Each structure stands twice: as C-alpha cells, then as structure tokens.
Amino acid sequence: MAPAVLTEVATEVIIPVCAVVGIVFSLVQWYLVSKVKLTPGGGGGSNNNNKNGYDDYLIEEEEGVNDHNVVVKCAEIQSAISEGATSFLFTEYQYVGIFMVVFAILIFLFLGSVEGFSTKSQRCTYDVTMMCKPALATAAFSTIAFLLGAITSIISGFLGMKIATYANARTTLEARKGVGKAFVTAFRSGAVMGFLLAANGLLVLYIAINLFKLYYGDDWEGLFEAITGYGLGGSSMALFGRVGGGIYTKAADVGADLVGKVERNIPEDDPRNPAVIADNVGDNVGDIAGMGSDLFGSYAESSCAALVVASISSFGIEHDFTAMCYPLLVSSIGILVCLITTLFATDFFEIKVVDEIQSALKKQLIISTVLMTIGVAVVSFIGLPTSFTIFNFGVQKVVYNWQLFLCVCVGLWAGLIIGFVTEYYTSNAYSPVQDVADSCRTGAATNVIFGLALGYKSVIIPIFAIAISIFVSFSFAAMYGIAVAALGMLSTIATGLAIDAYGPISDNAGGIAEMAGMSHRIRERTDALDAAGNTTAAIGKGFAIGSAALVSLALFGAFVSRAGIETVDVLTPKVFIGLIVGAMLPYWFSAMTMKSVGSAALKMVEEVRRQFNTIPGLMEGTAKPDYTTCVKISTDASIKEMIPPGALVMLTPLIVGTFFGVETLSGVLAGALVSGVQVAISASNTGGAWDNAKKYIEAGASEHARTLGPKGSEPHKAAVIGDTIGDPLKDTSGPSLNILIKLMAVESLVFAPFFAAHGGLLFKL
C-alpha cells in the first residue's frame, strides 16, 4: 500500500487557502455588483465598454435610463424589502437563539450522562484495547460543535439575504440596458452567496477539527464523533429557516395572488396590492436565507458522516491526516472548479437575447460537473493511499483509491441527472408543463389533476439515479462510499447556490420594475430572467433532496455502527413499528406546514380584501396601501407556526431512542428516508410545474400559449389557482422535507452513545 502523494503540510495549506480564495472571489463579485449605482444620475453599469458595438448612451436614452424618478423609486422599494427581510430574520433568530441554547444544554446533559459525568478515560467503542477520552469531553465538544454549526448556518442565511436585497433593484436598473447586463448582475449576486457559504462552511469545519485536535490528540474516534455536532447545528437552524421562511413567503404570495390577480384583475407585483412588499420580502427570507441554511446543513452533514466513518477506518487508526481530510479536499477543489465555472457565465460569454438565459444556466451545471470530475480524479490519486480499509459494520473492507474516485463521481453525475430531469418536468420549454398549461382550458380542476400526475411521475428517474448511486458507492466503499457520493453531489455547491439564488433575485427585480412603473419591455426582460430562475430553483431543490437522501443514509449507517446494532431486521416487530411510523412522519410534517400556510394566507386574503374595500382611491392608484400590516401578518404567522413542525422533527429521535431504543429508532430513520424523498420530489416538481404553466400562458411566446391567454382569460385564472395551490408544496413542504430526513439522522447519530447506553426504557420494564 503506497502512501498518499500529498503531504500533511500540503493538506494543511490547501484547504484553508481554497476557502480564503472562495471568500475573496465572492467579495470581488460583491464589488462588481456594487458598481451599479442606486442614486439618480449615476446610472452607470459595471461594464461601460461598448461590447455591443454601439454606444451605451443610445440604449440609455431609448429605455429612459435618465428618468430620475424611476431610480429613486427603485431605491425606495429596495430599502422597504431589505428592512422587512432584516427585521423578520432578527425576530426569527431571537426565537431560534433560545432553542439553540436549550438544545445545546440537552446535548451536554444527555451525552455527559452516558458515563455518569465521569472525567476518567473510557475504553474506545470500536477498539476495546485502546483508551479514549471521557464521555464528558465528547459531550462538551459536541455542544461546542453544535453551536458552531448553528451560528455558521445562521450567518450563511443572513449574508445571502443581505446580498439578495442589495442586488434586486440593481438588476432592475441594469435590465434597462438589455437582458445580458441584468443577467450578469443577478448571477454575480447569487455567486456571492454561493461562494461565501461554501468557503465559510469549509473553513469553520477545518478550524474546528484543528482546535479539537489540540485536546483529543490521537483519539480521532472521539474527535470526529464530537465534530458531528457541527452538522446537527447546521441542519437544525436550516429547519427553522426553511419552515419559517417558507410559511412567510407563501402566506404573502397566496394572499397577493388570490385577491390581486383572480378577484381584482390587477397584474402581479402591482403597487396597489397591499401584500406586494410582503411577497417580495418572502422571496428573500424563504428562498434565499432558508435555501442557504439548508444546503449548508447538507454540506456540513455529508462531511461529518464521511469523517465519522473514516475515523474508525485505516485513515483514523493509522492517523493519516491527508486521507482523513479527503472530504474537505474534495470540497476545496469544488470551490476552485466553481470559480472557473462562474467566469463562463459572467465574463467569457455574453448573453444577448432572452432565449440564451436558460442554456447559460444549464451550461453552468454541465461545465462544473465535467471540471469537478477531473478535480476529483486529481484529489483521489494524490490525496489517498493506493489501498486502505474502510469500516463496514464490524469488519474492515479493503478499498482502492480509484473506487473512491468512482463513488464521488457517481454522486456528482447523479446530481446532474436529477437536475436535468427536474428541469424537463418543470420548465415550460418542454411538453410536461405545456400539457399542464393546456389542461387549464377546462378549468382549475383538470389543471390540478395534470399537475399532481406530473409530480408523481417526476419521481421515477431521480429515485433510480439515487438507487444506482447508493448501490455502486456501497459496493465499492461501504457507508463511506455513500457519504462521499453525497459530498460529490454537493461538491459544486457554490455554482448550485449561485444558480439557485439567481431565481429569487430576478423575481424581486421583476417586482421592483412593476412597482416602479417601468416600461413593458423592461418587465418582459425581468420576466424572462424570472422564468429561467423558477426552473433553476426547482433544479436546486432537486439537488438538495437527492443529496439529503444520500447524506441521511450515510448518517444512518454511522448511527447503526455507533449504536452497536448488528443488523437492522425489518421482520422484528421493534424495527417494523419504527419503519411504518417513520414513513408516516413526512405526511404529518407536510400537513402541519401546509395548514400553517393555509391559515396564514387566509388572514392575508382578508386583510388585502379589507384594504381594497375600505381605502378610497386604492384601485385608482391615488391612495397608498398599508404594506406594513401585511408584513406583520406574515411575520407573526411564520414565527408562531414554525415551532410545531420543528418540535416534531427534533423531538421524534429523542423520544423514540429514549423510550423504544436504537432498533426502533433505526426503523423510524429508514421509514422517514424512504417516504420523505418521494414526497419531497413530487411536491417540489408539482409546484414548479404549476408556476411555469401559469408563466407559459402569461408570456404567450408560442401559438399554443396565445390560444390560452391573455392574462385574465379563463384558462389563465385556472393556471393562477394551480400556481397558488403549488406554492406551499414547492416552497414550504417539499424543501423542508429534505431537512426532516437529514436532521433526524444526524440527531440520532449525535445522541447514539446515550441511546446505546440508556435507551429503550419501555422494553426494559
């Protein structure tokens, strides 16, 4: 067995350097976005060279760029959205902060009590001949790691929201100069978030490992067990961000659409609609802050799952630091690959017409995947020994470095396949969505039937892709293979997030254009950006759900090993009852989140109706609506309603593990994983398809679409109803479910020592 080519010193330099490069790149992108001025007279853009062959000045005149009122109005609307989003997140974080402290205390008490709070060294779990640090140390360090993960997750979401609200009006102003300029501004802003998140996640994890090593020394088993708290912290914050943000955004969206479009026949984002600011704030707190925390959680957990398994394999036993850091090296190369990929969208090629937007975003996925394959090959052959052993449920399995390379690639390419299948089912360029739009001829009922069928059908190929990647990666490298496959899927997270954040930024830009009363041509450009953004948001959700399935399986494997379960036998009643209850949990969770959106939307609809009926001159545009009341309704509803679903997810593993024991808990985790993935994919794609069917009719780009339109026609009203039903599916329940399956698995892993020692109280009676 030849050792790794990469030395330990080189590893210790490469990882932090790549993270810092990512942070610097994101700051450069931020600077380029900031060159678009939001003050009258400074209508200059980031690129004032005449790339298009004629002077920019002509276009400015043509589109009324020098109209000072428009710029002032854009700046006003932007600050209203930014203030709304900031105040909501601060309120949310106060509640989440209380939870964070309480849960940190719980982790310490549960894990500390494993050995009765003893400070004496204990025998190692996997190698009884060795002595390891006391359980109390694991309790303390797991708690610290949990807080680190939680804080990093919160910061990731908050920074994402800040850059999105900073860039939305700038994208609108750039749209006056052409669709290409607007696209670059929106995409750069998305890249700021993507790179900040990927680099921060990597850097904090790397620093934590090195600081923990000062205490743990050679006890790597204990060290990486404590590090799993980082993944738990990241995901638990993501749960509240996703559910709270999702309820906020959809309550406003449904309220604005039902009264504005269906009842009053006014366009989307019309400034006369009282819920319009709340709707635009919602895009930032749900789709941006929630999504950021969610993908950070996935990233942290897949790294933790890989590290835990590696620490009890030959990497950990022989203290091979370079090989141990393989997951972090893959992520480091991912940052560099995404950096090159981003330049393709912003600098190497210029978008000149609307039709190029979708393909530019698709190219991002393909380029990053191809380059990443090369990057992973390099890392696998210089960062790993030629052969090594991986812990596989009690035995050490011999694995070769090329097998691990294939495991990462399987995850990486499965992610791309899931992305493209999602695009096929949710983009209005293809027949599935066009069929859904066509079904609106006969009313909302047929639209709903077609949309649901599309969602269920869209599950087939992603599940096969996940199944094949699980089989291949497990055959090659047991549970470690599955963990690095998940990491492969998330290795291009910076590009994935840039594409994902681009959607809500474009959506906001369109809203600002409408509210500022800009010309029809500009609204057309922002609509084109937004329609592409809708599909990319669906692709992002596909990635998040696919990676969640792999991550949660890897964590499940680590949990089963740590809890000392020999085999998970479905035929034993203890396991089977867990399995069937676990499979029910995604439905219970979805019911809670859907009902929360419904009841919040009900209040919103009543308030919007009240304002239209009681404020004289509102419909004529001579009086201003009361935006703040609507913002308050959304804020109050989401804060109140995010607690029960959050409690369901966080308390289930604790209750099941303590009272029913690890076998039943393993059943619950398997059941939740199997049913959660299906429900999440179908919900996200159904909602995405309904949304784009509505946009297909509104745009009227093809002969077929024109026969269904224009806005306000009966088929269009049916499409709006479908879109409204799909909103909570695609932006609240669907995306939150992937957090449910990951979070329960990582929480079970963190508390596994306690459950193994003291769990199953009811069966001990």
Side-chain angles (χ1 to χ4, degrees):
M1 160 181 152
V5 179
L6 206 62
T7 61
E8 189 169 323
V9 178
T11 307
E12 291 190 354
V13 171
I14 288 172
I15 296 171
V17 164
C18 288
V20 170
V21 165
I23 292 169
V24 169
F25 182 72
S26 69
L27 295 176
V28 170
Q29 298 298 315
W30 183 303
Y31 168 70
L32 290 172
V33 171
S34 71
K35 284 171 74 175
V36 181
K37 292 286 175 273
L38 261 186
T39 46
S46 48
N47 291 19
N48 272 339
N49 49 3
N50 3 352
K51 263 191 190 170
N52 302 340
Y54 46 83
D55 198 18
D56 268 353
Y57 179 73
L58 294 171
I59 325 172
E60 293 199 3
E61 284 304 311
E62 177 197 25
E63 293 295 356
V65 166
N66 296 330
D67 183 353
H68 287 207
N69 297 345
V70 168
V71 183
V72 171
K73 238 178 174 173
C74 283
E76 276 173 13
I77 298 162
Q78 184 215 24
S79 72
I81 294 171
S82 184
E83 279 165 26
T86 308
S87 77
F88 167 72
L89 286 181
F90 274 127
T91 315
E92 180 183 71
Y93 293 156
Q94 282 166 5
Y95 286 85
V96 167
I98 297 165
F99 157 80
M100 205 160 86
V101 173
V102 171
F103 207 76
I105 295 167
L106 270 183
I107 293 174
F108 184 73
L109 294 177
F110 271 70
L111 294 182
S113 66
V114 172
E115 295 283 327
F117 295 99
S118 152
T119 51
K120 288 203 265 306
S121 291
Q122 52 173 355
R123 295 205 175 277
C124 296
T125 314
Y126 299 99
D127 183 358
V128 200
T129 57
M130 304 278 288
M131 294 303 282
C132 283
K133 298 289 184 200
L136 194 61
T138 304
F141 282 100
S142 292
T143 309
I144 295 167
F146 168 77
L147 292 171
L148 267 179
I151 292 164
T152 312
S153 181
I154 284 177
I155 291 171
S156 301
F158 188 75
L159 286 176
M161 181 281 297
K162 272 296 183 205
I163 176 66
T165 51
Y166 182 78
N168 50 17
R170 288 173 166 78
T171 305
T172 312
L173 294 177
E174 286 292 87
R176 298 174 306 176
K177 300 178 190 165
V179 76
K181 294 274 176 72
F183 171 80
V184 168
T185 304
F187 192 81
R188 278 202 169 120
S189 320
V192 175
M193 176 182 176
F195 282 92
L196 270 182
L197 190 134
N200 278 342
L202 177 65
L203 196 59
V204 175
L205 179 59
Y206 179 72
I207 292 169
I209 290 171
N210 278 304
L211 291 179
F212 284 19
K213 220 164 81 176
L214 298 176
Y215 170 79
Y216 277 99
D218 283 346
D219 174 15
W220 284 18
E221 181 192 301
L223 162 63
F224 289 103
E225 191 173 293
I227 283 286
T228 47
Y230 184 70
L232 176 61
S235 252
S236 52
M237 295 305 108
L239 175 72
F240 292 107
R242 254 302 188 202
V243 174
I247 293 169
Y248 185 108
T249 174
K250 290 305 119 182
D253 200 355
V254 171
D257 281 2
L258 281 181
V259 184
K261 288 189 200 164
V262 178
E263 292 179 10
R264 294 280 169 170
N265 238 343
I266 57 177
E268 187 162 1
D269 296 317
D270 191 296
R272 293 171 292 180
N273 194 328
V276 71
I277 292 284
D279 183 8
N280 281 296
V281 169
D283 290 335
N284 294 296
V285 295
D287 297 348
I288 298 257
M291 185 71 190
S293 295
D294 178 5
L295 277 176
F296 166 75
S298 278
Y299 165 74
E301 281 163 344
S302 56
S303 304
C304 291
L307 291 167
V308 168
V309 181
S311 69
I312 49 176
S313 305
S314 64
F315 300 162
I317 297 163
E318 292 162 16
H319 296 98
D320 180 350
F321 189 71
T322 301
M324 191 70 217
C325 285
Y326 178 70
L328 302 182
L329 285 168
V330 170
S331 306
S332 306
I333 294 297
I335 291 177
L336 301 182
V337 162
C338 292
L339 194 153
I340 298 165
T341 311
T342 303
L343 296 177
F344 275 95
T346 56
D347 296 82
F348 297 161
F349 298 108
E350 191 183 8
I351 289 184
K352 293 193 174 66
V353 289
V354 166
D355 297 343
E356 291 174 4
I357 301 170
Q358 191 79 38
S359 65
L361 293 169
K362 260 170 84 171
K363 277 180 196 148
Q364 284 287 297
L365 288 175
I366 298 168
I367 294 167
S368 62
T369 305
V370 171
L371 291 178
M372 193 63 208
T373 307
I374 302 164
V376 173
V378 173
V379 170
S380 304
F381 292 109
I382 67 166
L384 291 170
T386 45
S387 72
F388 41 89
T389 62
I390 294 289
F391 183 85
N392 180 21
F393 300 119
V395 292
Q396 293 284 355
K397 176 185 168 86
V398 177
V399 180
Y400 297 97
N401 54 7
W402 61 267
Q403 290 177 311
L404 221 45
F405 160 65
L406 289 178
C407 290
V408 180
C409 287
V410 159
L412 182 64
W413 286 90
L416 187 69
I417 291 167
I418 293 172
F420 280 157
V421 170
T422 309
E423 189 214 15
Y424 175 70
Y425 279 106
T426 56
S427 164
N428 53 27
Y430 302 105
S431 60
V433 171
Q434 292 172 7
D435 291 345
V436 172
D438 193 60
S439 71
C440 295
R441 288 174 193 280
T442 46
T446 41
N447 179 26
V448 170
I449 294 167
F450 269 72
L452 287 172
L454 176 144
Y456 297 145
K457 196 175 169 190
S458 71
V459 174
I460 303 167
I461 299 174
I463 291 297
F464 276 122
I466 293 169
I468 292 166
S469 45
I470 288 170
F471 182 77
V472 172
S473 50
F474 189 85
S475 306
F476 280 149
M479 278 299 169
Y480 188 69
I482 292 173
V484 292
L487 209 63
M489 206 177 269
L490 291 165
S491 57
T492 52
I493 184 174
T495 294
L497 260 171
I499 292 174
D500 211 66
Y502 154 87
I505 292 169
S506 307
D507 191 355
N508 260 207
I512 292 172
E514 182 73 50
M515 284 187 269
M518 288 178 151
S519 75
H520 178 64
R521 286 178 61 180
I522 293 172
R523 184 68 222 223
E524 271 180 3
R525 287 170 189 167
T526 55
D527 276 354
L529 291 171
D530 182 21
N534 250 344
T535 305
T536 55
I539 293 174
K541 286 172 193 134
F543 263 94
I545 296 164
S547 61
L550 293 176
V551 168
S552 121
L553 184 59
L555 291 164
F556 174 68
F559 161 72
V560 169
S561 302
R562 182 62 187 86
I565 305 170
E566 295 295 316
T567 51
V568 179
D569 184 355
V570 183
L571 295 176
T572 52
K574 272 187 193 177
V575 176
F576 193 81
I577 56 167
L579 199 64
I580 202 158
V581 168
M584 171 274 296
L585 288 174
Y587 292 93
W588 188 0
F589 180 83
S590 298
M592 282 178 160
T593 49
M594 296 282 286
K595 189 153 186 296
S596 302
V597 171
S599 54
L602 200 68
K603 289 185 192 133
M604 188 67 79
V605 167
E606 284 167 356
E607 172 59 25
V608 175
R609 275 185 189 150
R610 183 194 68 75
Q611 291 199 28
F612 273 124
N613 293 333
T614 58
I615 299 177
L618 183 56
M619 271 305 279
E620 292 72 39
T622 52
K624 275 186 95 168
D626 173 10
Y627 296 126
T628 41
T629 310
C630 291
V631 171
K632 190 173 179 338
I633 289 174
S634 260
T635 304
D636 294 349
S638 55
I639 297 293
K640 190 173 108 231
E641 302 280 0
M642 75 180 179
I643 296 165
L648 172 72
V649 178
M650 299 301 288
L651 295 177
T652 301
L654 291 179
I655 293 168
V656 173
T658 307
F659 293 107
F660 299 92
V662 285
E663 280 97 346
T664 309
L665 181 54
S666 65
V668 168
L669 295 178
L673 166 61
V674 168
S675 85
V677 174
Q678 332 280 341
V679 180
I681 295 175
S682 66
S684 291
N685 290 350
T686 296
W690 274 327
D691 194 347
N692 273 342
K694 174 201 73 176
K695 284 200 162 58
Y696 174 74
I697 295 174
E698 287 176 351
S702 67
E703 194 54 50
H704 174 236
R706 283 192 286 276
T707 60
L708 298 167
K711 287 185 185 181
S713 66
E714 288 308 311
H716 177 249
K717 282 186 175 168
V720 170
I721 292 170
D723 172 37
T724 313
I725 300 169
D727 273 337
L729 282 171
K730 79 173 181 353
D731 288 324
T732 314
S733 297
S736 307
L737 279 173
N738 61 55
I739 304 179
L740 169 125
I741 55 181
K742 291 182 312 199
L743 186 51
M744 283 178 28
V746 73
E747 190 182 335
S748 304
L749 174 58
V750 170
F751 286 99
F754 174 80
F755 298 150
H758 306 299
L761 295 179
L762 289 182
F763 294 129
K764 288 177 182 169
L765 295 177

